[in-house]
Amino acid sequence: MTKYLKEYIKEIEKVLEGGKKTDWKEVLEKHRVRIGFFQHERLVHLLVTLTFGLGFLMMMGVTVLTFNYVLILVDLLLLTLLIPYIFHYFELENGVQKLYRLDRKIQERI
């Protein structure tokens, strides 16, 4: 998803650098549809990240209370899944923020 987001950002930046004969209202309309799509994707990843984070914290609590070595492995597994989810979410968040800035640039062209 982040690859698709980066490709789309490059595509819009090329359109902004392009000629003045572009129908900016149409570009803005299509751009806002894409923003909605990426916002939805970001929300889904936020919910997944929060779920893994809460699961990790709950398992850590159970591990501390019972101090079972098997649960330590489960904690490590959840942590190894949680860290990439966090980085992926922040990459999506930063990409959507970039889309908002591009939206303003398109509005200035209208």
Side-chain angles (χ1 to χ4, degrees), residues 1 4 31-43 96:
M1 180 52 66
Y4 177 63
H31 181 68
R32 289 190 173 165
V33 169
R34 292 276 179 96
I35 286 176
F37 173 71
F38 287 118
Q39 285 174 331
H40 179 265
E41 189 70 23
R42 180 183 64 177
L43 176 64
V96 171

Side-chain angles (χ1 to χ4, degrees), residues 28-55:
L28 182 62
E29 184 178 317
K30 289 180 180 180
H31 181 68
R32 289 190 173 165
V33 169
R34 292 276 179 96
I35 286 176
F37 173 71
F38 287 118
Q39 285 174 331
H40 179 265
E41 189 70 23
R42 180 183 64 177
L43 176 64
V44 169
H45 282 282
L46 173 64
L47 294 174
V48 169
T49 303
L50 288 174
T51 302
F52 265 92
L54 289 173

Side-chain angles (χ1 to χ4, degrees), residues 70-83:
V70 175
L71 292 179
I72 293 174
L73 293 175
V74 173
D75 290 337
L76 290 175
L77 176 65
L78 285 174
L79 184 63
T80 57
L81 290 171
L82 179 62
I83 290 172

Side-chain angles (χ1 to χ4, degrees), residues 10-100:
K10 287 179 185 176
E11 179 184 322
I12 288 296
E13 287 174 339
K14 284 182 184 177
V15 170
L16 284 167
E17 292 172 0
K20 297 178 179 169
K21 295 183 179 182
T22 305
D23 183 7
W24 292 109
K25 290 184 180 184
E26 181 180 335
V27 171
L28 182 62
E29 184 178 317
K30 289 180 180 180
H31 181 68
R32 289 190 173 165
V33 169
R34 292 276 179 96
I35 286 176
F37 173 71
F38 287 118
Q39 285 174 331
H40 179 265
E41 189 70 23
R42 180 183 64 177
L43 176 64
V44 169
H45 282 282
L46 173 64
L47 294 174
V48 169
T49 303
L50 288 174
T51 302
F52 265 92
L54 289 173
F56 173 71
L57 290 175
M58 289 188 311
M59 282 305 298
M60 282 294 294
V62 171
T63 303
V64 167
L65 292 175
T66 62
F67 199 71
N68 187 341
Y69 289 108
V70 175
L71 292 179
I72 293 174
L73 293 175
V74 173
D75 290 337
L76 290 175
L77 176 65
L78 285 174
L79 184 63
T80 57
L81 290 171
L82 179 62
I83 290 172
Y85 274 127
I86 290 171
F87 282 110
H88 183 69
Y89 173 74
F90 278 108
E91 204 167 333
L92 284 173
E93 176 67 32
N94 291 335
V96 171
Q97 295 298 321
K98 174 80 172 176
L99 291 178
Y100 293 154

